[in-house]
C-alpha cells in the first residue's frame, strides 16, 4: 500500500458509483469504501421556514387550543444575556 | 399487593372463593376454552434460597390447556398445522394476557407471549406455555464504551444506567425515547440522547465532559419521569453544573435545523436556571454558540446566537408561568440554520410545556444583528449547563419544520414500562457484554444483589438490595393457619449463613488515559457533490468508542482525530469548512464513518501537504484496573460464636469498580446472611389474586410450627386444575431470624471428642513382662501391639 495520494482523475467526469472491498491486512486501512450519490441535495426542507404554525395550536392569538397558552411573542433582545 | 376494587376486596375478606379468570390469545378472548392453567413466578439466583429476596431475575411462566369450540377440537384449531385463521391465535410469539380473581372481579396476572404449543391428536386439548416480558429482551445486548470515565477519572455511568439502556434497546422506555433513533439519509436523526438515568453515557453520541461526582447526585425523587441528574453545587469558577456530549453526527452549519430539549424540575436543584448550548467548530480557534436558557426566577427564556467567546445577540420571551409553576417543565429550542449561503442568521424558537401539561408556544424570531451570524462550521458538542434536576436530554437534526405541540410532547410515541431503583455501582468504564439483553440484566442483578422482573401488567421492575435490607414492620397481608394456610414447611440451613463476606472489585482510581490504535487513511477520498462516502474500519471489540472526527482548517488542527476537506486534490488547496456531515457509528466490529457532502462541489479528504487527511485515534486505559476486595466481617461476632465463620466471596466481575460500592455490597450480604433466615417453602394459602412477588406477609401458624413472623414473598405458584378450584402456593423468606440463639439449658458438645483415649500398656507393665530387651525382641511384636495390648 502506498502512502501517496491517488490521482484524482478528471473532476468534471461523472462520479463513479461503486463498492470497493479492500483486504483488511492493515487495520489502519478501511475494509470497505462505499460511495453513494444522492438523487437530491440532502439539505432538509426549504430555508427560512421555521416556526411553522402548530396545527394543534391556535390560529389566532388569544384563542388558544385546550392546554395551550396564547403564543408568546419575543419580549426583548440584546447583546448581553441575563441568564 | 395489587390494588383491587371494593367488590373484589370484599369477597377476598369474606374468605369465600368463587374463582374466575379471563384469558386472551392474540387479543381474542378464549376464557371459556381454558381447561386448566398454572402460573409460576419466582426469583432465579445462584445464591442460597434464603438470599432469593435480595438477588435474581424472575421470568413468569404461564401454562394453559385449551379446548376446542363447538364441534372442532383444539388440535384442529390450534395445532401448528391448523389453518392460520384459527392457529395464529396460538402461534409462538403470540400475545397472551391472563387475569384471575373471584366472582367479585379479576386482576392482572400475566402478560407475555407464547413460547410453545403442543397438540395431541385424538384429544380435545392443546398445551400452551407462555413467558412474560422477559421474552422481549432476547435481542443482543450492546452497551456503549465511552472513554470519558477513565479520561476524567470520574464515573461515567452506573449499573442502573446500563439496565435502563438495555431495556431501551428492547423498546421498553422509562422516559421519552430518542425522537429519531434510526439513521436514514433522508430522515431526521437524533444525534445526542442522554437519559441521565444514573449516568452521562449516551444512547447516541458520547459524553465528553463529565462533572465531578461531588457536585451532583442521581435522584428518583422529583425526577420528571424516572431518574434525574440533580446538581448539588456548581463546578469551580462556574455557576452551574456542566456536562457535554459529542454528537454521533457532526452536522454542518449553515444547513441544519437543530432541536435541543430536556426535562427539568424547577423545584429540585440549587438554583433556577438551565441551559442547552450547541458548540460549533468554526474556522480557526473561535467556537460558535447556539443557546437556549431558561431562568425560572425571572420567568424568561433566552435564545442566543454568537460565539462562546462572548459576541452575539439574544432574544428573550417572558412566560410568567415559569416563575409561578413549580414542577416538571419540558423545554426545547429550535435552531434553524437552513441556508444556502456561507453564513446564516439563525431563526430560533423556544418550546415550553408546564407541570400541568399546558403548552406555551413561543413565536419564532430571526436574528438580524451581524454578531449573531453563524459562518460555516460543524456541530462540535452539546452542552448542558444546569442548576436544576434534569432528565432526558436530546438533540435532533434534519427536522422538516418546527415540531407541533403533539410532536414536542412525543404524545403516543411511547409508554412508560420501566421502573428503576436508585442508581448503584458507579462505573468508570462500561463492561463489555455479550448474550441477550435478559442475560446481561440477570448478570447485573447478580453482581449488584438486585432483582429484575416483569409484573402482572407487563411493567419491568428493577429493585436494588436496599429495598430488602430494611426490615419491614407492617405486612401487606396476613396468613393464618386458622383460615388461610393449608400447609406449611419451614426450613433453616447453615448454607444460608454468611458472616464473612468478600466483594471483589476493579479499582479504576489509578487508571489514566493513553492513545490506542491510530488509523491513517492511505487514500485521498473523493466526495462528489451531494454524495456520501462511507469508510468502514475494523475496530476491535475492546476498543473504546470514537466519535466523528473534527474538521480541520488551515488555522487550527485537532491532533489525532480529524479530517480536512478541500475542493482540490492537491497540496496547498484551501480547507473547506461546514460542507460535510460526518457520521460515526459502530456496528458489527467496525467503525463506520459516513462523509456526506452537502454542497454541489466535489471535495477531497486531503491535508495541506496533499496527503490523505482522515486521521482517527482511539483512546484506551493506561493500564488494567487493579482487582481488590472489600470485606465485611466482625471478629468474634455473635453470628461467628454460634455458627462459626462462614465465608462468602462474590463472583469477581467488571460491574463493581468502586471501593464504597463493594463495601456496601459486602455489608448488605453480611446483614442479610449473618443469621440463617428461615425459608417457608410451599406455603399453601387460600387463593388471593392480589399477592405479588416482593410482598410482605405476616405468617401466623398456631397449629403447626408455632410461628408469627413477617416474610417476603419470593415465589408464587397458582394453578387451576379443575373448574372452580384454584390452588396457590407461596415460597417465603423470613424478614428476620427468630432472635439470636440462646442455647438455654444446652451445653453443646465440643467439635472434637476430648475424652482421653485408653492409655494402653505402661512402661512398667511391659518391663515386668519382658525383663530384657532381648526378651521383648524375641516376641516379634510391633510397637503398636506392645503399646495397645500390653504384651
Amino acid at each position: 500500500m502506498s502512502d501517496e495520494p491517488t490521482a484524482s482523475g478528471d473532476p468534471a467526469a461523472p462520479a463513479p458509483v461503486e463498492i470497493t472491498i479492500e483486504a483488511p491486512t492493515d487495520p489502519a486501512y478501511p475494509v470497505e469504501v462505499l460511495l453513494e450519490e444522492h438523487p437530491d441535495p440532502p439539505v432538509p426542507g426549504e430555508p427560512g421556514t421555521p416556526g411553522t404554525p402548530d396545527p394543534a395550536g391556535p390560529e389566532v392569538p388569544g384563542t388558544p387550543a385546550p392546554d395551550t397558552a396564547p403564543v408568546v411573542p419575543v419580549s426583548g433582545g440584546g447583546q448581553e444575556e441575563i441568564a | 399487593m395489587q390494588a383491587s376494587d371494593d367488590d373484589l376486596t370484599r369477597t377476598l375478606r369474606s374468605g369465600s372463593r368463587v374463582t374466575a379468570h379471563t384469558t386472551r390469545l392474540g387479543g381474542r378472548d378464549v376464557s371459556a376454552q381454558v381447561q386448566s392453567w398454572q402460573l409460576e413466578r419466582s426469583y432465579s439466583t445462584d445464591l442460597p434460597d434464603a438470599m432469593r429476596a435480595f438477588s435474581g431475575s424472575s421470568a413468569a411462566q404461564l401454562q394453559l390447556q385449551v379446548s376446542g369450540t363447538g364441534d372442532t377440537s383444539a388440535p384442529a384449531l390450534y395445532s401448528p398445522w391448523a389453518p392460520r385463521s384459527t392457529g395464529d391465535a396460538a402461534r409462538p410469539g403470540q400475545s397472551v394476557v391472563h387475569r384471575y380473581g373471584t366472582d367479585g372481579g379479576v386482576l392482572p396476572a400475566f402478560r407475555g407471549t407464547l413460547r410453545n404449543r403442543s397438540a395431541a391428536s385424538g384429544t380435545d386439548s392443546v398445551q400452551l406455555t407462555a413467558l412474560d416480558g422477559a421474552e422481549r429482551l432476547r435481542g443482543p445486548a450492546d452497551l456503549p464504551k465511552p472513554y470519558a470515565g477513565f479520561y476524567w477519572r470520574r464515573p461515567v455511568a452506573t449499573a442502573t444506567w446500563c439496565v435502563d439502556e438495555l431495556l431501551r434497546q428492547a423498546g421498553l422506555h422509562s422516559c421519552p425515547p430518542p425522537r429519531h433513533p434510526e439513521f436514514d439519509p433522508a430522515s431526521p436523526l437524533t444525534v445526542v440522547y442522554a437519559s441521565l438515568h444514573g449516568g452521562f453515557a449516551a444512547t447516541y453520541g458520547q459524553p465528553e465532559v463529565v462533572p465531578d461526582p461531588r457536585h451532583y447526585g442521581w435522584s428518583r425523587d422529583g425526577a420528571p419521569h424516572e431518574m434525574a441528574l440533580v446538581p448539588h453545587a456548581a463546578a469551580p469558577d462556574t455557576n452551574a453544573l456542566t456536562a457535554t456530549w459529542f454528537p454521533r453526527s457532526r452536522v454542518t452549519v449553515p444547513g441544519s435545523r437543530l432541536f435541543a430539549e430536556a426535562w427539568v424540575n424547577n423545584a429540585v436543584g440549587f438554583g433556577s436556571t438551565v441551559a442547552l448550548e450547541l458548540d460549533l467548530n468554526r474556522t480557526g480557534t473561535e467556537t460558535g454558540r447556539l443557546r437556549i436558557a431558561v431562568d425560572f426566577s425571572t420567568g424568561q427564556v433566552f435564545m442566543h446566537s454568537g460565539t462562546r467567546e462572548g459576541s452575539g445577540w439574544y432574544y428573550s420571551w417572558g412566560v410568567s408561568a415559569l416563575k409561578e409553576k413549580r414542577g416538571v417543565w419540558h423545554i426545547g429550542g429550535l435552531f434553524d440554520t437552513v441556508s444556502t449561503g456561507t453564513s446564516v442568521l439563525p431563526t430560533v424558537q423556544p418550546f415550553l410545556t408546564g407541570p400541568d401539561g399546558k403548552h406555551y408556544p413561543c413565536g419564532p424570531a430571526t436574528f438580524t444583528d451581524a454578531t449573531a451570524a453563524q459562518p460555516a462550521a460543524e456541530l462540535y458538542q452539546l452542552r448542558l449547563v444546569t442548576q436544576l434536576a434534569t432528565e432526558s436530554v436530546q438533540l435532533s437534526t434534519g427536522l422538516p419544520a418546527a415540531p407541533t405541540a403533539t410532536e414536542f410532547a412525543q404524545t403516543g410515541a411511547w409508554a412508560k414500562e420501566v421502573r428503576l431503583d436508585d442508581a448503584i455501582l458507579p462505573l468508570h468504564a462500561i463492561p463489555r457484554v455479550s448474550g441477550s439483553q435478559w442475560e446481561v440484566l440477570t448478570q447485573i442483578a447478580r453482581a449488584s444483589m438486585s432483582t429484575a422482573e416483569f409484573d402482572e401488567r407487563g411493567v419491568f421492575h428493577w429493585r436494588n438490595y436496599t429495598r430488602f435490607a430494611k426490615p419491614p414492620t407492617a405486612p401487606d397481608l396476613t396468613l393464618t393457619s386458622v383460615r388461610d394456610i393449608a400447609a406449611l414447611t419451614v426450613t433453616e440451613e447453615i448454607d444460608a449463613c454468611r458472616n464473612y463476606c468478600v466483594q471483589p472489585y476493579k479499582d479504576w482510581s489509578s487508571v489514566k488515559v493513553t492513545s490506542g490504535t491510530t488509523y491513517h487513511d492511505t487514500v485521498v477520498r473523493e466526495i462528489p457533490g451531494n454524495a456520501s462516502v462511507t469508510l468502514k474500519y475494523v475496530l476491535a471489540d475492546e476498543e473504546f468508542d470514537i466519535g466523528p472526527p473534527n474538521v480541520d482548517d488551515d488555522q487550527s488542527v485537532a491532533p489525532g482525530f480529524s479530517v480536512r476537506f478541500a475542493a482540490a486534490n492537491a497540496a496547498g488547496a484551501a480547507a473547506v469548512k461546514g460542507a460535510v456531515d460526518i457520521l460515526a457509528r459502530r456496528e458489527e466490529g467496525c467503525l463506520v464513518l459516513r462523509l456526506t457532502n452537502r454542497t454541489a462541489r466535489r471535495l477531497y479528504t486531503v491535508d495541506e501537504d496533499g496527503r490523505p487527511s482522515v486521521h482517527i485515534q482511539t483512546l484506551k486505559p493506561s493500564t488494567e484496573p487493579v482487582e481488590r476486595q472489600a470485606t465485611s466481617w466482625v471478629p468474634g461476632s455473635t453470628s461467628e460464636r454460634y455458627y462459626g465463620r462462614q465465608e462468602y466471596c462474590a463472583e469477581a466481575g467488571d460491574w463493581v469498580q468502586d471501593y464504597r460500592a463493594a463495601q456496601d455490597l459486602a455489608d448488605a450480604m453480611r446483614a442479610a446472611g449473618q443469621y440463617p433466615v428461615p425459608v417457608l417453602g410451599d406455603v399453601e394459602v387460600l387463593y388471593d389474586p392480589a399477592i405479588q412477588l416482593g410482598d410482605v406477609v405476616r405468617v401466623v401458624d398456631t397449629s403447626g410450627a408455632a410461628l408469627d413472623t413477617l416474610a417476603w414473598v419470593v415465589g408464587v405458584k397458582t394453578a387451576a386444575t379443575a373448574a372452580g378450584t384454584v390452588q396457590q402456593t407461596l415460597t417465603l423468606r423470613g424478614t428476620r431470624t427468630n432472635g439470636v440463639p440462646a442455647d438455654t439449658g444446652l451445653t453443646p458438645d465440643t467439635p472434637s471428642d476430648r475424652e482421653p483415649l485408653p492409655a494402653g500398656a505402661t512402661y512398667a507393665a511391659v518391663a515386668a513382662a519382658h525383663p530384657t530387651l532381648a526378651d521383648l525382641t524375641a516376641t516379634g511384636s510391633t510397637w503398636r501391639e506392645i503399646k495397645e495390648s500390653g504384651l
Side-chain angles (χ1 to χ4, degrees):
Chain A
M1 277 182 287
S2 168
D3 284 332
E4 295 302 313
T6 57
S8 63
D10 178 9
V17 178
E18 59 181 351
I19 299 175
T20 310
I21 307 292
E22 293 151 338
T25 50
D26 182 349
Y29 201 71
V31 291
E32 186 178 322
V33 179
L34 172 66
L35 173 63
E36 300 168 64
E37 281 197 84
H38 301 280
D40 298 309
V43 178
E46 292 299 315
T49 56
T52 301
D54 177 358
E59 290 295 325
V60 181
T63 56
D67 288 332
T68 302
V71 174
V72 181
V74 172
S75 60
Q79 287 189 318
E80 295 297 325
E81 283 183 276
I82 298 169
Chain B
M1 294 290 291
Q2 291 195 71
S4 55
D5 62 21
D6 291 345
D7 287 348
L8 180 57
T9 304
R10 192 166 45 249
T11 60
L12 293 174
R13 283 184 182 160
S14 72
S16 71
R17 294 294 187 270
V18 179
T19 60
H21 73 268
T22 63
T23 307
R24 295 164 66 88
L25 297 178
R28 183 181 299 164
D29 192 335
V30 296
S31 308
Q33 294 169 251
V34 174
Q35 298 168 322
S36 66
W37 56 266
Q38 177 176 304
L39 177 60
E40 188 166 3
R41 293 176 183 277
S42 65
Y43 294 121
S44 164
T45 177
D46 53 352
L47 292 171
D49 275 355
M51 299 296 179
R52 274 205 283 170
F54 293 85
S55 172
S57 55
S58 165
Q61 178 173 291
L62 175 70
Q63 290 174 292
L64 294 169
Q65 191 167 307
V66 181
S67 70
T69 56
D71 296 333
T72 312
S73 69
L77 288 173
Y78 303 124
S79 83
W81 292 107
R84 284 286 175 195
S85 58
T86 58
D88 277 354
R91 68 166 172 81
Q94 187 56 271
S95 68
V96 182
V97 175
H98 186 68
R99 295 162 69 90
Y100 60 33
T102 70
D103 54 343
V106 290
L107 292 174
F110 178 89
R111 185 175 288 264
T113 52
L114 279 176
R115 188 168 177 78
N116 62 49
R117 57 179 164 183
S118 172
S121 292
T123 68
D124 184 26
S125 68
V126 170
Q127 306 281 346
L128 304 174
T129 305
L131 289 182
D132 69 4
E135 282 295 280
R136 298 171 66 183
L137 296 164
R138 297 296 180 202
D142 185 21
L143 291 172
K145 303 179 185 68
Y147 57 75
F150 56 84
Y151 183 91
W152 288 94
R153 298 167 77 179
R154 295 169 177 170
V156 72
T158 58
T160 311
W161 182 90
C162 297
V163 169
D164 188 59
E165 175 61 18
L166 291 167
L167 293 166
R168 186 173 297 107
Q169 289 170 11
L172 286 98
H173 299 291
S174 51
C175 70
R179 289 183 180 274
H180 308 287
E182 301 302 331
F183 170 71
D184 178 346
S187 301
L189 181 71
T190 298
V191 293
V192 174
Y193 179 85
S195 65
L196 296 176
H197 288 178
F200 296 95
T203 306
Y204 300 116
Q206 61 173 319
E208 178 60 9
V209 174
V210 175
D212 188 327
R214 292 173 297 183
H215 298 156
Y216 69 86
W218 306 108
S219 175
R220 297 179 68 230
D221 292 336
H225 295 281
E226 186 59 32
M227 185 183 297
L229 164 72
V230 179
H232 298 320
D237 303 324
T238 67
N239 65 354
L241 187 84
T242 299
T244 75
W245 293 269
F246 280 167
R248 62 168 155 164
S249 177
R250 295 202 188 281
V251 295
T252 49
V253 169
S256 296
R257 190 171 287 132
L258 296 149
F259 190 74
E261 62 189 305
W263 293 78
V264 298
N265 187 338
N266 63 358
V268 180
F270 70 89
S272 60
T273 64
V274 60
L276 293 168
E277 301 175 357
L278 280 56
D279 290 352
L280 305 173
N281 180 14
R282 292 184 181 179
T283 298
T285 55
E286 201 171 56
T287 302
R289 185 179 74 164
L290 296 167
R291 178 177 194 249
I292 177 172
V294 181
D295 188 339
F296 290 94
S297 65
T298 62
Q300 285 179 294
V301 186
F302 302 89
M303 293 196 75
H304 175 267
S305 177
T307 67
R308 287 207 66 75
E309 288 73 25
S311 65
W313 198 264
Y314 77 89
Y315 286 125
S316 66
W317 289 256
V319 181
S320 58
L322 286 170
K323 56 182 176 183
E324 292 162 359
K325 296 183 180 178
R326 291 285 173 184
V328 174
W329 283 82
H330 183 193
I331 62 168
L334 178 76
F335 303 92
D336 191 334
T337 71
V338 173
S339 168
T340 52
T342 55
S343 180
V344 62
L345 286 162
T347 298
V348 293
Q349 185 178 9
F351 288 77
L352 301 166
T353 301
D356 52 359
K358 191 168 187 176
H359 183 57
Y360 297 88
C362 296
T366 302
F367 291 102
T368 55
D369 192 89
T371 60
Q374 294 294 348
E378 296 85 21
L379 176 63
Y380 181 66
Q381 64 184 355
L382 171 67
R383 182 185 298 264
L384 168 69
V385 184
T386 185
Q387 298 174 335
L388 300 170
T390 309
E391 182 176 6
S392 188
V393 171
Q394 59 177 313
L395 174 62
S396 300
T397 183
L399 273 64
T404 65
T406 305
E407 288 168 346
F408 178 54
Q410 294 186 261
T411 305
W414 71 290
K416 186 167 179 176
E417 296 180 309
V418 174
R419 298 280 187 279
L420 298 173
D421 204 340
D422 295 339
I424 56 168
L425 304 192
L427 302 171
H428 284 65
I430 294 178
R432 292 166 58 191
V433 295
S434 60
S436 72
Q437 292 142 352
W438 181 251
E439 286 167 345
V440 175
L441 287 176
T442 301
Q443 186 186 100
I444 300 174
R446 287 176 174 168
S448 61
M449 286 182 66
S450 303
T451 58
E453 70 198 75
F454 283 86
D455 71 9
E456 294 79 0
R457 296 172 185 272
V459 175
F460 179 87
H461 291 261
W462 179 267
R463 294 178 175 113
N464 297 338
Y465 61 86
T466 48
R467 173 199 181 212
F468 297 101
K470 296 170 191 161
T473 54
D476 299 308
L477 179 73
T478 297
L479 308 171
T480 67
S481 59
V482 177
R483 188 173 68 90
D484 294 335
I485 301 176
L488 179 66
T489 305
V490 185
T491 58
E492 184 180 37
E493 56 176 340
I494 193 73
D495 285 351
C497 181
R498 302 281 191 257
N499 54 30
Y500 186 98
C501 299
V502 178
Q503 175 65 57
Y505 69 99
K506 295 285 175 65
D507 186 354
W508 282 78
S509 59
S510 58
V511 177
K512 299 175 184 171
V513 66
T514 187
S515 63
T517 308
T518 301
Y519 300 79
H520 285 176
D521 202 354
T522 52
V523 175
V524 171
R525 306 292 166 185
E526 178 181 321
I527 317 172
N530 298 319
S532 296
V533 167
T534 300
L535 307 175
K536 199 178 262 192
Y537 293 88
V538 173
L539 192 66
D541 202 32
E542 60 267 20
E543 295 274 18
F544 284 80
D545 289 344
I546 313 173
N550 295 306
V551 178
D552 282 345
D553 53 63
D554 296 334
Q555 296 174 38
S556 68
V557 174
F561 192 64
S562 62
V563 61
R564 180 182 182 276
F565 300 103
N569 182 7
V576 175
K577 288 281 286 180
V580 179
D581 283 355
I582 307 170
L583 173 80
R585 65 178 189 273
R586 196 170 183 163
E587 62 180 26
E588 295 154 5
C590 287
L591 170 69
V592 180
L593 285 186
R594 190 172 196 274
L595 312 176
T596 302
N597 185 352
R598 297 180 70 163
T599 71
R601 283 191 294 176
R602 191 175 297 269
L603 296 174
Y604 299 88
T605 59
V606 61
D607 68 11
E608 272 187 297
D609 301 323
R611 293 176 302 195
S613 68
V614 177
H615 294 249
I616 299 167
Q617 184 181 42
T618 62
L619 297 175
K620 67 178 185 181
S622 60
T623 179
E624 287 292 310
V626 181
E627 184 163 323
R628 304 186 194 280
Q629 57 188 34
T631 304
S632 184
W633 170 52
V634 178
S637 66
T638 307
S639 172
E640 271 195 15
R641 201 156 63 243
Y642 286 102
Y643 300 109
R645 189 166 299 169
Q646 302 288 342
E647 184 260 8
Y648 172 77
C649 185
E651 192 178 331
D654 294 327
W655 290 101
V656 187
Q657 300 180 359
D658 174 70
Y659 170 75
R660 191 66 258 160
Q663 189 64 51
D664 286 350
L665 281 175
D667 288 346
M669 177 61 78
R670 190 175 63 82
Q674 61 182 332
Y675 300 111
V677 179
V679 174
L680 295 79
D682 300 336
V683 183
E684 196 178 324
V685 299
L686 189 61
Y687 161 61
D688 190 327
I691 291 177
Q692 292 179 292
L693 276 189
D695 279 349
V696 176
V697 296
R698 183 178 172 213
V699 186
V700 182
D701 185 6
T702 55
S703 60
L707 58 85
D708 180 354
T709 187
L710 297 181
W712 281 301
V713 178
V714 294
V716 186
K717 183 176 174 183
T718 313
T721 50
T725 306
V726 176
Q727 190 177 37
Q728 193 167 45
T729 307
L730 306 181
T731 304
L732 305 170
R733 184 228 189 240
T735 59
R736 59 181 178 81
T737 57
N738 181 25
V740 175
D743 290 354
T744 306
L746 301 175
T747 308
D749 291 323
T750 54
S752 60
D753 189 351
R754 295 178 189 176
E755 287 293 319
L757 294 171
T762 63
Y763 185 89
V766 175
H770 307 285
T772 66
L773 179 60
D775 295 338
L776 183 61
T777 304
T779 64
S781 299
T782 65
W783 164 260
R784 182 171 182 170
E785 288 166 344
I786 296 166
K787 182 69 179 169
E788 293 183 357
S789 64
L791 287 172

